[in-house]
Amino acid sequence: NWATCDTMSPKVFKKNLPKLSKKIEEWIKSDKTYSFRFAINMLMKYFLGENFKKEYADKVASVKSDEYYVKMCAAWYFATALAKNYEETVCYLENRRLDEWTHNKTVRKALESYRIPDDRKQYLRTLTIR
């Protein structure tokens, strides 16, 4: 379930990022909602900030799912990415790389974040799809 996906964070993962990355590749291709969500969660927890790679953001941006828990996690990923890797990820909103629901939820979650400065929030507001 979503709670298990969101709270599970074994310390061994941080010590083995290359191996984790390979497993994420498997999980993100899954047709199982929570395996998919777990993959996005692991990308958010371990591969943002100094471990950010555009290829991971591209994988999350290419998510094609109608599952609420997957789409919500993708929005959470991008809102967190905006806080940690703004310059590298704002283009996903500017270029409308996400489906409309995930796009707008990302903007909303970013606006609610204490980690994103007000000037950036002002700009993000202009990116809402109406």
Side-chain angles (χ1 to χ4, degrees):
N1 66 32
W2 69 267
T4 302
C5 291
D6 295 359
T7 58
M8 200 167 134
S9 187
K11 290 181 182 183
V12 70
F13 283 6
K14 191 171 188 173
K15 296 176 184 177
N16 294 284
L17 293 180
K19 288 181 182 178
L20 176 59
S21 175
K22 287 180 184 173
K23 289 304 288 182
I24 288 170
E25 290 290 329
E26 292 175 36
W27 298 328
I28 209 157
K29 294 175 186 170
S30 175
D31 61 348
K32 294 181 171 55
T33 299
Y34 297 108
S35 295
F36 202 171
R37 182 178 173 110
F38 188 69
I40 296 169
N41 237 304
M42 293 300 99
L43 287 172
M44 181 172 51
K45 288 180 182 176
Y46 297 106
F47 295 96
L48 289 178
E50 64 186 34
N51 294 322
F52 177 81
K53 289 184 182 174
K54 187 179 180 309
E55 67 190 69
Y56 297 136
D58 287 343
K59 288 182 187 306
V60 179
S62 66
V63 166
K64 302 292 182 237
S65 175
D66 291 327
E67 292 286 339
Y68 171 83
Y69 290 108
V70 171
K71 291 170 76 161
M72 182 59 86
C73 195
W76 185 19
Y77 170 88
F78 277 103
T80 304
L82 287 167
K84 293 184 173 192
N85 299 93
Y86 182 85
E87 298 299 329
E88 298 95 330
T89 55
V90 70
C91 61
Y92 289 88
L93 297 176
E94 292 171 334
N95 298 323
R96 295 190 177 191
R97 297 267 320 269
L98 311 174
D99 67 82
E100 185 175 332
W101 188 93
T102 305
H103 177 107
N104 285 337
K105 188 60 75 174
T106 296
V107 172
R108 183 175 182 133
K109 293 180 89 45
L111 295 176
E112 294 169 352
S113 174
Y114 294 111
R115 298 180 291 176
I116 297 176
D118 289 339
D119 61 321
R120 288 184 174 170
K121 287 181 182 181
Q122 273 187 310
Y123 177 64
L124 292 172
R125 276 186 189 88
T126 70
L127 299 177
T128 300
I129 299 172
R130 300 186 196 279

